[in-house]
């Protein structure tokens, strides 16, 4: 798959990430029934890279990498219950924004709250994102 604004994409997961537009009610993951129930307006109807919920098991410091082709503002949404250390050590800054996804399973609602981190990068920057649960803060 080709992603606009980035090239040289490398992914350690056997699951293929998807380039999708985020919006309320859309899937939060490629492989689960979690749906976005709260999204900051800045993300609505914007492109994002959607990963598999099963990818949460990856602890690698190099889970997904790419090179930006233009100056870009990158946001990463991270499960608020376990923020990986690589987020801040790689220059991402916390924002005041939060997101929430929800699914119904066995007649019970399950919610996940996400903290939003951002970083501005110039074109040609190599960006490396770590795994979801690696070395939590």
């Amino acid at each position: 798959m080709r992603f606009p604004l980035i090239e040289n994409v490398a992914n350690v997961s056997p699951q293929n990430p998807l380039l999708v537009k985020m919006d309320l009610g859309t899937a939060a993951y490629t492989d689960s029934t979690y749906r976005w129930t709260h999204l900051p307006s800045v993300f609505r109807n914007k492109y994002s890279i959607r990963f598999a919920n099963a990818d949460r098991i990856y602890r690698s410091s190099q889970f997904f990498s790419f090179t930006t082709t233009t100056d870009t503002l990158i946001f990463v949404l991270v499960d608020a219950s376990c923020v990986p250390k690589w987020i801040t050590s790689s220059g991402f800054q916390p924002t005041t924004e939060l997101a929430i996804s929800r699914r119904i399973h066995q007649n019970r609602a399950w919610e996940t709250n996400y903290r939003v981190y951002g970083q501005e990068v110039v074109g040609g920057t190599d960006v490396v994102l770590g795994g979801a649960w690696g070395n939590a803060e």
Side-chain angles (χ1 to χ4, degrees):
M1 167 173 269
R2 180 149 171 26
F3 295 99
L5 306 179
I6 63 174
E7 59 189 11
N8 303 323
V9 174
N11 179 32
V12 301
S13 170
Q15 309 291 324
N16 287 322
L18 298 175
L19 181 66
V20 296
K21 284 198 174 183
M22 281 179 104
D23 212 340
L24 293 174
T26 61
Y29 298 100
T30 61
D31 65 342
S32 79
T33 58
Y34 277 95
R35 302 269 177 206
W36 293 114
T37 57
H38 174 77
L39 279 174
S41 59
V42 69
F43 296 134
R44 294 185 189 165
N45 207 31
K46 299 290 193 280
Y47 282 105
S48 69
I49 300 172
R50 183 183 301 156
F51 294 95
N53 191 31
D55 288 340
R56 69 187 179 279
I57 65 170
Y58 288 97
R59 300 178 186 277
S60 170
S61 61
Q62 297 184 2
F63 171 72
F64 187 80
S65 62
F66 55 89
T67 304
T68 59
T69 59
T70 186
D71 295 357
T72 306
L73 180 56
I74 299 170
F75 290 104
V76 178
L77 281 67
V78 182
D79 186 328
S81 69
C82 189
V83 177
K85 287 183 182 178
W86 67 262
I87 289 284
T88 52
S89 67
S90 60
F92 284 90
Q93 299 297 313
T95 71
T96 58
E97 303 289 353
L98 297 172
I100 301 171
S101 70
R102 177 183 295 156
R103 76 179 180 137
I104 306 297
H105 180 69
Q106 298 178 345
N107 295 322
R108 183 172 172 209
W110 298 81
E111 276 191 352
T112 302
N113 296 297
Y114 302 86
R115 293 176 64 183
V116 179
Y117 289 80
Q119 181 181 64
E120 289 184 64
V121 296
V122 297
T125 299
D126 293 326
V127 178
V128 178
L129 305 178
W133 296 99
N135 301 313
E137 292 180 329

